[in-house]
Amino acid sequence: MRDASGRIARIDAGLATLDESTGVYMGTGMGGAKTMEQAFSNYYNSGRVPPLTVPAFMPNAPAAHVAMRNKVYGPVLTYS
């Protein structure tokens, strides 16, 4: 992942190399709340819910995405 200046954040954090024990741990207060609000509004107005509502609401999705993008094979956990 690159930061706003274009540097690779994990190298700045001293994680230039990753091994099989590297993990991703993230925290969220309430991930996906806006997605659920929009889904409720869509259902109320049209009787339909967008097909990607559940994946977008999953609080573990950002950590999983970071792990897949960086080929991390250790534990991937999200605290919510």
Side-chain angles (χ1 to χ4, degrees):
M1 309 280 310
R2 296 189 184 276
D3 65 11
S5 68
R7 294 183 306 226
I8 297 176
R10 66 181 176 86
I11 291 173
D12 285 350
L15 299 171
T17 60
L18 305 175
D19 63 23
E20 66 277 352
S21 65
T22 302
V24 176
Y25 298 85
M26 298 179 88
T28 180
M30 186 176 172
K34 185 171 177 100
T35 299
M36 287 304 290
E37 183 178 328
Q38 185 62 45
F40 176 78
S41 178
N42 285 349
Y43 182 74
Y44 182 76
N45 292 322
S46 69
R48 297 191 56 156
V49 175
L52 296 178
T53 297
V54 172
F57 176 69
M58 298 182 324
N60 66 323
H65 183 74
V66 168
M68 289 186 291
R69 177 174 254 188
N70 289 282
K71 296 181 173 83
V72 170
Y73 300 108
V76 180
L77 302 169
T78 301
Y79 301 96
S80 63

